[in-house]
Amino acid sequence: MSDHLSKRAELLNTILRYINDGNYEKAGEAWSFGVGSRASSGDGSNDEAVFQKMRHLVYDHVARTVAIQRTSLSSPPTIDSLATEFRKLMDELKPQTREALGQALGPIATGSNPPAPAPISESNDQLDALDRYYSEEVLEKLDGIVARASALDRMGLEKVPNKRVQFLFEEAHRCYLYGFHLACAVFCRAILEGALKEVADPESETSQSIHEMIGVAVEKRLLTDIRPRCAREVAKAGNRAIHDPEMFDRDYSAEKVEEILTDTRKVLEELYRLPS
């Protein structure tokens, strides 16, 4: 997959860095970004860049913590998780700056002069932290979304599926584009089941188990060539995703999930063809 297929991703990432640094302002009907940036060559320029990295670490940590507290059952990261990165950044400071900072942080490290904990309970602070976290998450995915979408061919169905299949098809592709592999496999199975009910067993002559309906579709010559195998692979992946997500995550790489989506599309193209 080529880098930077999205020309907007790199530009938006640059703009987002300025927003996160508070380095932007309204200029008439437009916005100016990087307005506070100066190409300085003084002794303090390197130290200032290091302090900026330290601020990023702290703000990113707070943003990740606020998000995890709302969307995960695991414990949020502790501030100790930043220690290694902070030590690396400390080594980048000038010796006199590092010494002064060490003297200032010494009492905090020993607990003799602990700072008041920074509150992150204010609604505006919480909202800004979530905004920061999810803006970065979406932009990190943008190149991959464009690359995956550009690799898909147009669908050429001869008949229009029912609304349920259309909805599931769109949801499966959203999950695929954003990299939600387990959900994509579940939706692919649901697409297959819905399409088979509509085309292969519209009168509910079977128990409507997915494998029984695949068999009926093969008997009626609705699925030929490699399509029965494609359908069974989709059903297998969907069942694995539903009933054993840990094993699915182990066995189904991103490339294999792409194959499942491709198999689903192949099955639909044959099920929704006009009778010859």
Side-chain angles (χ1 to χ4, degrees):
M1 188 179 296
S2 301
D3 291 335
H4 302 306
L5 287 185
S6 168
K7 65 181 180 182
R8 291 168 176 80
E10 192 170 7
L11 176 60
L12 290 171
N13 268 305
T14 300
I15 293 173
L16 182 59
R17 283 197 295 271
Y18 288 132
I19 293 174
N20 286 343
D21 292 341
N23 195 2
Y24 64 99
E25 64 182 25
K26 190 77 179 289
E29 295 299 315
W31 289 89
S32 293
F33 298 92
V35 292
S37 300
R38 293 290 184 270
S40 58
S41 57
D43 292 340
S45 60
N46 180 69
D47 286 350
E48 177 57 35
V50 174
F51 287 137
Q52 185 76 284
K53 292 177 183 178
M54 290 179 172
R55 285 193 289 270
H56 288 169
L57 277 178
V58 173
Y59 289 140
D60 288 345
H61 170 81
V62 171
R64 186 165 59 253
T65 298
V66 172
I68 288 176
Q69 287 172 338
R70 286 163 168 74
T71 62
S72 176
L73 299 179
S74 62
S75 300
T78 65
I79 196 69
D80 293 339
S81 63
L82 304 182
T84 301
E85 290 300 319
F86 261 97
R87 279 194 292 269
K88 292 179 181 177
L89 291 173
M90 287 283 285
D91 290 340
E92 297 179 19
L93 293 170
K94 291 184 303 181
Q96 58 267 38
T97 306
R98 186 164 58 247
E99 182 181 356
L101 186 60
Q103 291 174 353
L105 295 178
I108 298 175
T110 60
S112 60
N113 187 22
I120 59 171
S121 59
E122 294 292 336
S123 59
N124 287 343
D125 292 342
Q126 298 258 323
L127 181 60
D128 187 70
L130 292 170
D131 188 13
R132 180 189 185 99
Y133 182 82
Y134 289 111
S135 294
E136 292 182 350
E137 182 179 86
V138 170
L139 281 181
E140 284 176 2
K141 293 178 179 291
L142 184 53
D143 258 323
I145 291 170
V146 173
R148 286 187 282 273
S150 67
L152 295 171
D153 295 325
R154 293 179 61 183
M155 288 292 287
L157 303 187
E158 297 176 354
K159 296 189 296 184
V160 179
N162 62 40
K163 294 292 185 182
R164 174 183 171 82
V165 173
Q166 291 181 44
F167 169 74
L168 293 171
F169 183 85
E170 293 174 7
E171 288 294 302
H173 281 74
R174 287 192 186 96
C175 291
Y176 166 70
L177 293 177
Y178 281 82
F180 303 138
H181 298 152
L182 187 140
C184 178
V186 172
F187 276 116
C188 284
R189 185 196 183 283
I191 292 167
L192 175 64
E193 184 177 49
L196 288 170
K197 286 180 179 179
E198 180 181 21
V199 179
D201 191 21
E203 303 300 327
S204 300
E205 297 173 0
T206 71
S207 65
Q208 295 204 326
S209 76
I210 197 163
H211 288 288
E212 189 175 357
M213 288 191 292
I214 292 172
V216 170
V218 173
E219 290 176 9
K220 293 181 177 180
R221 303 291 296 170
L222 298 170
L223 292 177
T224 60
D225 195 27
I226 65 168
R227 272 54 176 193
R229 180 191 61 78
C230 291
R232 293 187 183 100
E233 287 297 324
V234 172
K236 176 183 174 182
N239 287 338
R240 181 70 56 82
I242 294 169
H243 299 296
D244 198 340
E246 292 85 0
M247 185 174 289
F248 176 90
D249 188 57
R250 185 193 69 195
D251 294 344
Y252 285 83
S253 63
E255 291 76 16
K256 199 163 183 180
V257 172
E258 182 179 355
E259 290 177 12
I260 295 302
L261 185 73
T262 301
D263 286 345
T264 304
R265 291 162 64 96
K266 289 177 180 177
V267 169
L268 290 183
E269 286 176 336
E270 187 157 38
L271 286 177
Y272 290 100
R273 65 184 177 181
L274 293 172
S276 54

